[in-house]
Amino acid sequence: MVRKLKKLYGKDAREFFNQVMVEQPLLPFLIPLGLFAWFVERWVVPFSNWVPLAAAVWATIQYGRFKRRITVEDLNKRWKHLILNTTPITPIEPCEWFNKLLTEVWPNYMEPKLSRRIQSTVERRLKNRKPKLIDKIELQEFSLGSCPPALGDEGMRWITSGDQQVMRLGFDWNSHEMSVMFLAKLAKPLIGTCRIVINSIHIKGDLLLSPILDGEAILYSFESTPEVRIGVAFGSGGSQAIPGMELPGVSTWLVKLLTETIGKTMVEPRRLCFSLPAVDLRKQAVAGVLSVTVVSASNLCKNTANRQSLNGGTMSGIADNKIQQTFVEVEVGNLMRKTSTSKGLNPTWNNTFNMVLHGETGIVKFLLYELDSGGVKFNYLTSCEIKVKYVHDGSTIFWAIGHNSGVVAKHPEHCGQEVQMVVPFEDIDGELTVSLVLKEWQFSDGSVTLSNSLSSGLQSSSDGSPKLQSITGRRLRVRVVEGRALTANSKSGKCDPYVKLQYGKALYRTKTLSHTVRPVWNDKFEFDEIAGGECLKIKCYSADVFGDESIGSARVNLEGLLDGASRDVWVPLEKVDSGEIRLEIEPIKNDHNNTMQSSSSKAGAGWIELVVIEARDLVAADLRGTSDPYVRVQYGNKKKRTKVIYKTLSPQWNQTFEFPETGEPLILHVKDHNAILPTASIGHCTVEYSMLSPNQSANKWIPLQGVNCGEIHVKIARRVSVSDSGKKAALGTDPSGKGHKIATQV
């Protein structure tokens, strides 16, 4: 026992001596000097007894510091062992410092940033959800106020799940300083407007914070749906407004809207990402181009839980581990693309799609479907998603929910870097392997960040950010080159495609090509560059006798091009399963002496665009008191007709027709369709268009002639492509206003 104690004390003494030697490098010189002074004082000239006392005090202080450091290191080791190995939940820690820090950064940093983000989310939700008493509603003011939420009033805990550490703390926000104001137009029987003001809010729940990518970003979410209460006040809306009174159901609707918004965006397992970049370029991303490659799936297995199929039947997981045909549908907003089908429990696709992001964030959804043995019926199996976020240092974050509620995250520092992610499916066992490349970010100031392979025409400044280009005083030349994989008519299988381009008030279209899903137009158009983030709108149609059919649309940001640089892009069409349009975009000098060149057959002469919308109070041509109306459109020698709407006196067609402008009368014949007997006329009218200015439209109800009652609702426009000398006509200007007055008189 004595030997063990001597060995322990000896080891402790050696560690203490080594530590003192590290902290006091001059000690080897001071010890001999002290011994020499003590020898002189003891044997030669006696000074006093203070030297041994000072040495003892100094040694005691140094030893105390050493023991404290050893104790702190030992506690840290024990704490780490407790978090990672012993228990998944740590004891409660105080976090008053967190609230103090939040109070300081809230007014100037957190509140403006969160207000903009929540405001954009609320505006999107208002378009689809409103109570019955309100016809239209718009957000006029949004401010969260100067009072921040209280975090961790009862302390916070660290929770460990696998390798992921999560901070859990209480969230209690009780604010009476916020100001959110809506202007609402009331529906019938109420008439007028009113203002709805949210002046207080109370949200209480448990918040989870998860650091990812070595602290470069934080994921945050509520553990469960929080408790939400709001205070609503009602006021008058100005002229033609109702007096201030409470509208029944509006307060409940706002609480439900806020609760659903929180639940669909930031309640587990849905999480939001807050990036912490070391450098802030102070740029707002407005769009991005993303390449998505669906590589393969693995370890798909049986799931006995029944779900509802798309066509109303029931479905289950992959049954009995048999070989099945599966495919994946990729969704980004309204843009959808499908892979080819593949067999087996480990299918491989290797299909690549170009997707468009509208904003600095986006969600890429992957929906897995299974085809039956006949290859006709398909059932939804499961899904997963990957979220994309622009970081203000110019990089990008991809992240998704991994196994056991973990996180799979990638952080490419530059555009063009390929990342591969393996994401588990939500409802069944199995994983999906995808490859992602963010090709381009477009910013609100007009600059563009491209990948190295696409940035040959983009010059960079010395700090690595692209130079900004003035977006005024130039023209943009847009060449519609070709298309591929366009959607054919589901009944006839034909496709006669043409493209319409709209930029500001300028509207042009290409020629129509017959019977092809890979058209080559090579039509060029020029536009005056517009400031303020104006996008080029693309609409692709397939010409048809009974009305042209839309086969996709898209938006392209035309900002950020340098002089002498050009952009050659394939633009994916939205709201359809397939289809891309190739554009070549090039800025040119604004030369007023040059006329705009276009190879389109309609670009020089112009055309008439007629939209047959609806009719009302038609004559009943059948014995049962109804009619089966359709409209035959006659323009010179050309005739077209709408579809037949059966058993109604108020049909709605909403079909568009176009004719090369020749100056001849435009006549509409409303007919009653009969399968055996001859068709009966239930009125006709002439649509006046000659007094319209170029690119001006008129929306009007026209009484039918030859009958006692009936009106037809049409929209007529003269579309032209003009030279620079006719620029006023192209922009739809009419200095005298005479054309507008005549066009609105019926």
Side-chain angles (χ1 to χ4, degrees):
M1 184 68 182
V2 176
R3 289 183 179 179
K4 289 183 179 180
L5 289 176
K6 289 183 179 180
K7 187 176 181 180
L8 179 62
Y9 290 147
K11 181 179 179 182
D12 195 10
R14 287 194 300 271
E15 291 181 357
F16 170 65
F17 181 76
N18 293 332
Q19 183 69 27
V20 172
M21 293 297 293
V22 172
E23 293 185 354
Q24 304 292 339
L26 297 179
L27 189 60
F29 303 98
L30 294 177
I31 291 178
L33 182 61
L35 292 175
F36 177 74
W38 177 76
F39 175 78
V40 172
E41 187 271 343
R42 183 75 175 83
W43 300 103
V44 181
V45 180
F47 297 115
S48 63
N49 295 326
W50 64 267
V51 174
L53 180 62
V57 171
W58 177 82
T60 303
I61 294 174
Q62 293 298 324
Y63 184 73
R65 291 178 179 177
F66 169 72
K67 293 297 291 184
R68 282 196 298 271
R69 181 176 291 107
I70 294 299
T71 303
V72 170
E73 291 178 356
D74 183 61
L75 289 176
N76 288 335
K77 290 180 181 179
R78 292 183 181 182
W79 183 261
K80 187 175 181 180
H81 180 77
L82 178 68
I83 292 178
L84 297 179
N85 301 316
T86 306
T87 175
I89 301 177
T90 65
I92 294 179
E93 300 178 50
C95 56
E96 290 83 358
W97 61 271
F98 200 0
N99 288 304
K100 184 177 180 180
L101 178 63
L102 185 61
T103 303
E104 295 178 357
V105 301
W106 175 265
N108 299 323
Y109 182 74
M110 296 293 295
E111 192 276 334
K113 199 166 186 177
L114 288 176
S115 293
R116 288 193 298 268
R117 176 173 295 184
I118 298 176
Q119 179 178 353
S120 61
T121 303
V122 171
E123 288 176 342
R124 290 195 301 268
R125 300 279 294 171
L126 286 177
K127 294 180 180 179
N128 303 321
R129 297 288 302 275
K130 56 180 180 290
K132 295 181 179 180
L133 292 177
I134 295 178
D135 183 28
K136 294 181 180 179
I137 186 171
E138 63 178 14
L139 183 62
Q140 289 194 325
E141 180 182 341
F142 195 96
S143 174
L144 296 177
S146 59
C147 179
L151 301 177
D153 285 343
E154 299 179 358
M156 62 181 180
R157 297 177 183 269
W158 282 98
I159 303 173
T160 302
S161 177
D163 295 333
Q164 183 69 31
Q165 296 185 9
V166 181
M167 178 190 290
R168 181 180 182 272
L169 68 166
F171 181 94
D172 191 355
W173 190 20
N174 192 2
S175 173
H176 297 275
E177 300 179 2
M178 69 180 307
S179 177
V180 180
M181 184 169 64
F182 303 91
L183 179 62
K185 179 181 178 182
L186 303 179
K188 294 180 181 180
L190 300 176
I191 300 177
T193 60
C194 75
R195 298 185 187 276
I196 305 172
V197 180
I198 300 178
N199 49 27
S200 65
I201 188 171
H202 183 207
I203 301 177
K204 186 175 182 179
D206 292 323
L207 195 65
L208 302 179
L209 304 179
S210 306
I212 61 173
L213 299 172
D214 296 329
E216 295 181 358
I218 296 176
L219 302 182
Y220 58 97
S221 61
F222 283 103
E223 190 174 21
S224 59
T225 303
E227 175 188 352
V228 178
R229 297 197 306 270
I230 59 175
V232 182
F234 299 88
S236 61
S239 60
Q240 297 183 352
I242 64 172
M245 66 177 185
E246 182 175 355
L247 298 177
V250 173
S251 299
T252 306
W253 165 70
L254 287 173
V255 172
K256 185 177 180 181
L257 179 66
L258 182 58
T259 305
E260 287 184 354
T261 302
I262 295 176
K264 291 184 177 181
T265 56
M266 53 179 303
V267 173
E268 283 291 314
R270 299 175 179 89
R271 306 168 188 173
L272 296 179
C273 180
F274 187 82
S275 56
L276 300 170
V279 178
D280 190 352
L281 300 180
R282 299 187 181 276
K283 292 185 179 182
Q284 181 182 359
V286 296
V289 179
L290 176 66
S291 174
V292 180
T293 301
V294 183
V295 181
S296 63
S298 60
N299 302 323
L300 299 179
C301 68
K302 181 179 179 181
N303 187 354
T304 58
N306 291 334
R307 293 183 292 276
Q308 190 75 15
S309 68
L310 295 179
N311 54 10
T314 60
M315 47 92 37
S316 62
I318 300 176
D320 300 328
N321 290 334
K322 294 181 180 179
I323 297 178
Q324 303 290 331
Q325 290 186 348
T326 54
F327 67 90
V328 175
E329 185 177 81
V330 185
E331 290 186 4
V332 178
N334 294 325
L335 184 57
M336 297 177 291
R337 292 293 182 266
K338 292 181 181 178
T339 67
S340 57
T341 58
S342 181
K343 295 182 179 180
L345 302 179
N346 298 285
T348 301
W349 298 284
N350 285 319
N351 294 146
T352 302
F353 310 103
N354 287 327
M355 315 298 282
V356 177
L357 303 173
H358 299 295
E360 65 177 13
T361 61
I363 301 177
V364 186
K365 296 182 179 180
F366 302 92
L367 309 176
L368 181 66
Y369 292 89
E370 175 190 14
L371 288 175
D372 63 0
S373 57
V376 177
K377 177 183 175 182
F378 58 92
N379 299 319
Y380 169 77
L381 291 179
T382 184
S383 65
C384 61
E385 63 183 35
I386 296 176
K387 295 187 178 181
V388 187
K389 179 179 176 61
Y390 168 74
V391 185
H392 290 283
D393 61 358
S395 60
T396 308
I397 291 179
F398 299 97
W399 64 276
I401 302 299
H403 292 287
N404 300 322
S405 298
V407 178
V408 180
K410 299 289 185 180
H411 186 197
E413 297 182 356
H414 305 286
C415 289
Q417 290 184 238
E418 181 178 4
V419 297
Q420 191 171 81
M421 300 181 67
V422 179
V423 184
F425 288 113
E426 292 182 355
D427 301 324
I428 66 174
D429 293 335
E431 297 175 329
L432 181 68
T433 302
V434 297
S435 178
L436 305 168
V437 179
L438 201 292
K439 293 184 175 180
E440 172 184 318
W441 281 116
Q442 301 174 5
F443 303 100
S444 59
D445 60 6
S447 58
V448 178
T449 300
L450 299 174
S451 63
N452 295 331
S453 59
L454 299 175
S455 59
S456 57
L458 181 67
Q459 303 295 329
S460 299
S461 58
S462 58
D463 60 354
S465 60
K467 294 181 180 179
L468 302 185
Q469 173 68 39
S470 174
I471 57 175
T472 58
R474 297 192 308 176
R475 291 178 67 81
L476 298 176
R477 176 178 294 161
V478 179
R479 180 185 176 196
V480 184
V481 183
E482 58 182 323
R484 64 186 180 191
L486 299 183
T487 303
N489 188 287
S490 57
K491 296 182 179 180
S492 64
K494 297 180 180 180
C495 182
D496 301 331
Y498 66 90
V499 176
K500 285 185 178 181
L501 304 177
Q502 182 177 358
Y503 186 62
K505 295 182 179 180
L507 178 66
Y508 304 118
R509 62 161 288 176
T510 66
K511 54 181 174 285
T512 302
L513 301 180
S514 300
H515 309 302
T516 178
V517 293
R518 292 187 62 90
V520 178
W521 292 287
N522 284 318
D523 289 345
K524 295 181 182 180
F525 308 97
E526 292 183 10
F527 303 91
D528 288 317
E529 192 175 37
I530 302 175
E534 184 73 20
C535 291
L536 173 67
K537 299 177 182 178
I538 302 173
K539 294 183 179 180
C540 191
Y541 294 91
S542 177
D544 189 77
V545 177
F546 299 103
D548 298 345
E549 179 184 4
S550 175
I551 54 175
S553 62
R555 291 180 294 166
V556 180
N557 194 327
L558 295 184
E559 297 179 318
L561 283 172
L562 295 173
D563 288 333
S566 62
R567 190 183 303 172
D568 190 338
V569 293
W570 282 95
V571 182
L573 297 177
E574 300 181 358
K575 301 180 181 179
V576 288
D577 293 335
S578 64
E580 291 179 296
I581 301 296
R582 182 186 173 192
L583 301 180
E584 290 182 359
I585 307 170
E586 178 185 7
I588 59 176
K589 294 183 179 180
N590 194 353
D591 188 359
H592 294 279
N593 297 324
N594 294 334
T595 60
M596 187 196 68
Q597 303 295 326
S598 173
S599 59
S600 171
S601 60
K602 295 185 179 181
W607 66 98
I608 299 298
E609 182 181 82
L610 172 70
V611 182
V612 182
I613 303 174
E614 58 181 328
R616 63 188 179 192
D617 300 330
L618 295 181
V619 173
D622 298 335
L623 296 177
R624 60 180 179 270
T626 61
S627 296
D628 302 327
Y630 69 93
V631 180
R632 190 183 71 189
V633 185
Q634 181 176 353
Y635 186 68
N637 296 326
K638 297 187 176 182
K639 299 179 181 180
K640 296 184 179 182
R641 57 171 284 181
T642 68
K643 57 189 175 183
V644 179
I645 308 297
Y646 293 95
K647 299 180 182 180
T648 180
L649 300 179
S650 300
Q652 293 184 351
W653 294 285
N654 291 311
Q655 291 185 247
T656 302
F657 303 95
E658 294 181 350
F659 304 93
E661 185 176 358
T662 60
E664 298 178 90
L666 179 60
I667 304 174
L668 305 182
H669 298 274
V670 184
K671 302 281 188 178
D672 175 60
H673 174 74
N674 289 308
I676 301 176
L677 300 176
T679 58
S681 174
I682 52 178
H684 65 274
C685 66
T686 301
V687 182
E688 177 60 42
Y689 65 90
S690 59
M691 300 305 295
L692 291 175
S693 301
N695 282 333
Q696 182 187 8
S697 62
N699 196 324
K700 46 191 174 183
W701 284 91
I702 305 177
L704 295 177
Q705 302 177 12
V707 289
N708 295 328
C709 61
E711 292 179 298
I712 188 168
H713 185 196
V714 300
K715 183 178 180 181
I716 183 71
R718 293 179 63 198
R719 303 299 187 190
V720 294
S721 299
V722 298
S723 62
D724 289 344
S725 61
K727 193 176 296 183
K728 290 185 178 180
L731 295 176
T733 58
D734 186 6
S736 64
K738 186 181 298 182
H740 177 70
K741 294 179 181 178
I742 297 176
T744 54
Q745 296 175 357
V746 179

